[in-house]
Amino acid sequence: MNLSTAVKIKYEKSLVTGKDASVKVIFSTTKDVDGNDTWEFLSIPMDEHNTDYQAILKWIADGNTVEESD
Amino acid sequence: MAFATIDLTKGVTGVLPSANATYSTPRENAVPIIYNGDMSVAQRGTSFTGVSSGSNWPVDRFEFYPTNLGAYTIIQESLTSGEAYNNGFRTALRIDTTTADASPAATDYAILRGKLEGKDLGLFKKGTSSAEKFTLAFWVKSNKTTTGQVNLFDIDNNRLVSGTYTISSANTWEKKIINFPADTTGGFDNDNALSLVVEFFLDSGSNFSSGTAPTAWEAQTNADRNANNFAIGSSTDNDFAMTGVQLEVGEFSSTTIPPFQFETFGDNLERCQRYFTKITRGVANTSICNGRWYNNSNVGGMFHLPTSMRSTPTLSITTGTNYYNASGTNANNFFDDFTFNDAADLSLGWYKGSISGTQGDGIIFMTNNSNASVSFDSEI
């Protein structure tokens, strides 16, 4: 996961608990094989064993900020 | 050393095992320590072009990671001939250099690696007085007749040991067997985190190549990790293919190494799915799971995972406009993306907000575009 190419990094709430449960990461738009816009979308659970979430925590420790959830 | 055999005309021949034998014995009926060593499972796809950075997976569990050092095509190659084929291997991992970088900067590198979690490694008894040796075997083919380096990198204790292999004949499958010493220092953690990396260093700048390959375990030093530079990125003529990767407990030679432990494709796939699972098939209008309208503006459901994953996985989606459909009674409800909600051992809940429906109605969650892709990732 290369967070430098992300266009949005934002907390997302659980529908059931109403608390932040994941981090949404949206990458920049490219073209699919049919020439239409496509993009990669990650929903990263806030589990410290998940290596993507570990990367988010490091990104935060490096001075970056995750956008607050709605 | 050959094990004893019984010949009906000659009686017992060969060397009988004894209580104080110094050679190792195969782990009978054991599953391979290395996942997908025959390169047969490739859930993410079988061909990727223009690979120049980050984490890339030509086959499951083998990661190719270049950083500012050329560009590559990486594929799962089907084998139809050659010694690897003759030994039962039908697939290989292949890396072709498509943009060369013959003078990499000091910090640049290109690595092919397999990663193992601590829970799989207790049998090496590392960090104890009974620590075992390691033997790594693999089939390799390249246009380059040169010497490459492979490292065992103990992440838990930041320790490293290296071996080298020499490709003698260009474009010819060769089996390599490398012995690594035991390490009485630093045990692997018994957890689900990364503990050991089997690291084929394929190219680098001087930060990784200015040292000496350690033949005994040492505190990890970057300069020692690629002292024998394969230099795959040095020319667009270069390629590197590998299969039959096998890690064994103990010391084996070319004559005593146990046969590669071929698994059924299903067993191999299920083991790989602990780390990555893809549930779409590149077909539009495919049903993925059931769901329901949680209220009038949120729809959701639950994915059943095929096996217990290493950790709560990342929900990874390839999407575009209206790539997904919450198909209800006489109504399609198209949307672009959806979000992780919760997870249990064998399931992962998802939902999509800001979408209109009727609370309590059921839906079938479907793809609406052949390029839609849904996968779960808990790689280490």
Side-chain angles (χ1 to χ4, degrees):
Chain A
M1 183 175 63
N2 183 0
L3 290 174
S4 67
T5 61
V7 296
K8 182 176 281 292
I9 303 176
K10 182 178 181 178
Y11 288 112
E12 289 281 287
K13 288 186 169 70
S14 161
L15 180 62
V16 177
T17 67
K19 298 178 180 176
D20 289 342
S22 63
V23 178
K24 174 170 69 178
V25 179
I26 302 175
F27 294 99
S28 54
T29 299
T30 58
K31 298 291 184 185
D32 66 19
V33 294
D34 301 318
N36 300 315
D37 286 346
T38 184
W39 59 93
E40 299 296 318
F41 179 105
L42 302 182
S43 191
I44 301 170
M46 295 167 67
D47 174 353
E48 293 188 357
H49 296 290
N50 180 301
T51 54
D52 290 327
Y53 187 58
Q54 291 170 5
I56 294 288
L57 293 175
K58 181 178 184 304
W59 186 77
I60 294 169
D62 289 342
N64 300 292
T65 303
V66 178
E67 190 177 335
E68 293 298 316
S69 55
D70 294 327
Chain B
M1 176 180 293
F3 292 110
T5 58
I6 298 175
D7 185 301
L8 293 178
T9 57
K10 299 177 182 175
V12 176
T13 61
V15 179
L16 285 168
S18 63
N20 60 353
T22 56
Y23 50 85
S24 298
T25 53
R27 297 173 301 115
E28 292 183 4
N29 302 320
V31 297
I33 295 170
I34 296 288
Y35 288 71
N36 198 29
D38 66 354
M39 315 294 174
S40 61
V41 175
Q43 293 185 80
R44 295 168 178 85
T46 56
S47 178
F48 303 89
T49 59
V51 171
S52 61
S53 65
S55 180
N56 304 274
W57 303 86
V59 299
D60 278 41
R61 304 306 336 276
F62 283 86
E63 179 187 45
F64 180 57
Y65 202 110
T67 298
N68 299 318
L69 206 163
Y72 306 87
T73 293
I74 57 175
I75 65 170
Q76 181 198 45
E77 181 178 35
S78 295
L79 302 183
T80 57
S81 63
E83 275 306 292
Y85 178 84
N86 294 341
N87 279 270
F89 298 99
R90 296 295 178 264
T91 47
L93 173 163
R94 181 182 171 100
I95 302 167
D96 281 279
T97 305
T98 54
T99 301
D101 180 357
S103 302
T107 57
D108 299 346
Y109 59 88
I111 303 172
L112 174 66
R113 58 194 176 193
K115 297 175 174 178
L116 296 167
E117 62 181 282
K119 282 181 179 292
D120 288 347
L121 298 169
L123 70 180
F124 287 102
K125 306 170 199 168
K126 190 171 178 298
T128 76
S129 58
S130 304
E132 300 276 4
K133 296 179 179 178
F134 302 71
T135 299
L136 183 71
F138 55 93
W139 289 87
V140 64
K141 184 176 77 168
S142 175
N143 67 302
K144 295 194 73 175
T145 51
T146 188
T147 297
Q149 182 169 333
V150 55
N151 307 313
L152 300 184
F153 190 167
D154 168 2
I155 300 297
D156 292 328
N157 303 287
N158 196 34
R159 290 173 66 76
L160 187 85
V161 67
S162 301
T164 59
Y165 57 95
T166 298
I167 295 178
S168 306
S169 301
N171 304 313
T172 303
W173 281 108
E174 299 174 2
K175 186 173 184 178
K176 306 299 179 186
I177 296 171
I178 301 175
N179 298 124
F180 298 89
D183 188 14
T184 56
T185 300
F188 292 126
D189 296 341
N190 183 33
D191 60 20
N192 63 349
L194 176 62
S195 284
L196 180 67
V197 180
V198 180
E199 179 180 78
F200 294 87
F201 229 108
L202 296 182
D203 207 341
S204 77
S206 59
N207 281 7
F208 300 94
S209 60
S210 58
T212 302
T215 54
W217 286 91
E218 66 170 19
Q220 190 273 137
T221 302
N222 271 342
D224 293 349
R225 290 167 68 186
N226 193 33
N228 297 271
N229 190 5
F230 190 91
I232 191 172
S234 61
S235 167
T236 55
D237 293 338
N238 292 345
D239 55 64
F240 179 91
M242 172 178 283
T243 193
V245 182
Q246 178 183 359
L247 184 64
E248 296 292 345
V249 181
E251 182 173 4
F252 296 92
S253 68
S254 59
T255 54
T256 63
I257 188 92
F260 183 87
Q261 297 112 347
F262 283 102
E263 300 170 280
T264 66
F265 182 81
D267 287 347
N268 189 12
L269 173 62
E270 184 173 336
R271 291 218 303 152
C272 291
Q273 286 174 328
R274 175 169 171 78
Y275 302 89
F276 182 87
T277 295
K278 186 174 182 179
I279 61 170
T280 47
R281 291 285 185 271
V283 179
N285 303 313
T286 301
S287 300
I288 299 178
C289 68
N290 296 319
R292 54 84 177 89
W293 290 93
Y294 179 77
N295 52 34
N296 292 342
S297 60
N298 288 280
V299 66
M302 183 178 69
F303 299 116
H304 292 277
L305 304 175
T307 191
S308 297
M309 298 191 74
R310 184 191 63 83
S311 67
T312 309
T314 295
L315 172 60
S316 178
I317 305 164
T318 299
T319 191
T321 302
N322 293 337
Y323 267 31
Y324 300 95
N325 179 14
S327 179
T329 306
N330 296 320
N332 290 315
N333 303 275
F334 300 114
F335 53 96
D336 302 347
D337 55 51
F338 47 96
T339 300
F340 169 89
N341 190 49
D342 55 25
D345 191 31
L346 288 169
S347 64
L348 187 146
W350 63 273
Y351 75 98
K352 172 65 182 176
S354 303
I355 184 170
S356 288
T358 302
Q359 181 174 349
D361 279 3
I363 60 106
I364 297 176
F365 178 51
M366 306 178 70
T367 61
N368 187 46
N369 188 301
S370 60
N371 298 313
S373 171
V374 179
S375 55
F376 309 103
D377 191 334
S378 63
E379 277 290 354
I380 44 180

